[in-house]
Amino acid sequence: MPSPSFGSVPAHREPGAAEDVQLPLALGIDIGGTKVAAGVVDGHGAILEVIRRATPGRDARAVENVIAELVRELGERHEIASVGIGAAGWMDLTGARVVFSPHLAWRDEPLQDNLEEMLQRPVLVTNDADAAAWAESRFGAGRGHDRLIMLTLGTGIGGALVIDGRVERGSFGMAGEFGHQIIMPGGHRCECGNRGCWEQYASGNALGREGRELAKKHSPMAAGLLAAVNGKPKDITGSVVTELALQGEATARELVTEVGDWLGLGIANLAAALDPALFIIGGGLSAAGELMLDPARRAYSRNLTGRGYRQEAVITVAQLGPMAGLIGAGDLSRVRALKG
């Protein structure tokens, strides 16, 4: 079976083109640490219906049962030709097995076979960031670009690279795990087992952790953060800090700026290695918008190899929001189904 990168399928074909009109419906599923979302996706990247369930802990079988439940429910109301699953982790090149998922209990899990047996439908399994990058390059901020990097900032940092209209997955299916570049040797422990991974400094989890640490140290700077969570430091999350920053709270803005600095440093590293023309920033933390992207751009320019003598990439926010992974997973499954 071919890689889910799907060879030379153009990533930036304009939605609404004549060949899209009769494309079958696909079902995209985005598996996160707290929720599983499923949506019916048409050939233009539009979602016709979406439903959600809580992620049932880290139990692999329970997650598969939730997926099956969602597919059956939507399948009763829509004629679905294929199913695409986007999840954090490393997939083999065929997309049949989840080699390792850092936030779920999948270890060398034959997820595709399990679900195809349960659902009696074609199923594609892909990395959630790959799915989001595909969607943005087809229908969102990346249209018209053949080479781009997508970064999804949430619990951690997901990443994907689109080259010449295809998702590049590397020799072993594990390309794009940019969040696990070690940016601070000996730094914070990461769920992957290493220390100092980029996602420990430039993610929603990192933002929440910094806010909680300020609060636990009884810093007067944390007064606004604590007021927002009724004095409970454990309730300070990346989402809480982001919302306060958007409202103008000074400490929250400072914390978002720090995350932006780390983000820009990591992007400069990626530019030195891969030199794309466009970086698309998605995921929940992208809601901070220019509060985070402005310091990220400054840090990128400040740390860029060859600065002053090379063209700089554009750093922009994703257009499809939290549904990008769902849209991309569904569309990728449709492409594979049509290719046979």
Side-chain angles (χ1 to χ4, degrees), residues 43-337:
H44 312 300
I47 299 174
L48 306 184
E49 182 181 358
V50 63
I51 54 178
R52 298 174 178 84
R53 297 286 186 276
T55 303
R58 297 172 63 91
D59 183 272
R61 298 288 85 73
V63 173
E64 290 169 14
N65 287 335
V66 167
I67 292 170
E69 175 187 330
L70 292 170
V71 173
R72 290 181 183 124
E73 181 175 339
L74 287 171
E76 291 175 355
R77 297 190 289 275
H78 303 273
E79 189 173 344
I80 296 165
S82 61
V83 177
I85 312 290
W90 294 277
M91 318 300 168
D92 68 10
L93 275 176
T94 69
R97 307 183 76 84
V98 182
V99 178
F100 172 76
S101 178
H103 307 302
L104 296 167
W106 287 322
R107 304 292 184 269
D108 197 28
E109 182 75 16
L111 184 60
Q112 178 180 292
D113 288 347
N114 292 350
L115 290 174
E116 286 187 339
E117 183 176 351
M118 295 172 72
L119 300 173
Q120 297 300 300
R121 298 174 186 270
V123 174
L124 173 141
V125 180
T126 189
N127 176 271
D128 55 353
D130 287 347
W134 178 264
E136 287 289 342
S137 59
R138 286 261 283 157
F139 308 113
R143 283 184 294 176
H145 289 269
D146 285 326
R147 297 182 177 225
L148 62 87
I149 286 177
M150 172 88 182
L151 298 169
T152 55
L153 311 182
T155 303
I157 298 179
L161 176 64
V162 174
I163 298 179
D164 297 334
R166 62 181 178 81
V167 178
E168 174 56 56
R169 303 205 50 233
S171 296
F172 306 105
M174 298 185 183
E177 289 295 332
F178 306 129
H180 296 288
Q181 61 172 306
I182 296 176
I183 204 166
M184 176 62 75
H188 293 294
R189 178 74 72 180
C190 182
E191 287 189 24
C192 76
N194 290 330
R195 286 187 179 275
C197 291
W198 188 26
E199 69 175 40
Q200 294 304 310
Y201 299 87
S203 66
N205 268 8
L207 185 60
R209 182 194 65 232
E210 293 301 302
R212 290 191 296 274
E213 287 188 6
L214 270 180
K216 290 175 182 177
K217 293 181 184 299
H218 307 290
S219 169
M221 291 178 62
L225 304 181
L226 285 167
V229 293
N230 298 315
K232 300 176 181 178
K234 67 180 180 62
D235 291 339
I236 298 174
T237 64
S239 296
V240 168
V241 177
T242 298
E243 182 59 33
L244 289 173
L246 291 169
Q247 294 172 12
E249 204 282 325
T251 298
R253 287 199 167 203
E254 181 176 327
L255 293 176
V256 168
T257 295
E258 289 177 1
V259 166
D261 288 340
W262 284 109
L263 178 62
L265 175 59
I267 289 175
N269 290 344
L270 295 178
L274 299 169
D275 191 32
L278 177 68
F279 287 92
I280 300 174
I281 312 300
L285 191 53
S286 68
E290 295 302 311
L291 291 178
M292 181 179 63
L293 291 190
D294 275 347
R297 293 186 188 107
R298 291 194 296 269
Y300 162 76
S301 296
R302 189 169 61 247
N303 291 284
L304 184 63
T305 301
R307 54 192 173 275
Y309 297 95
R310 63 182 289 178
Q311 188 170 348
E312 295 190 6
V314 173
I315 301 173
T316 190
V317 71
Q319 292 181 356
L320 301 179
M323 293 293 101
L326 186 156
I327 293 168
D331 193 61
L332 279 169
S333 75
R334 174 176 27 242
V335 169
R336 189 182 71 175

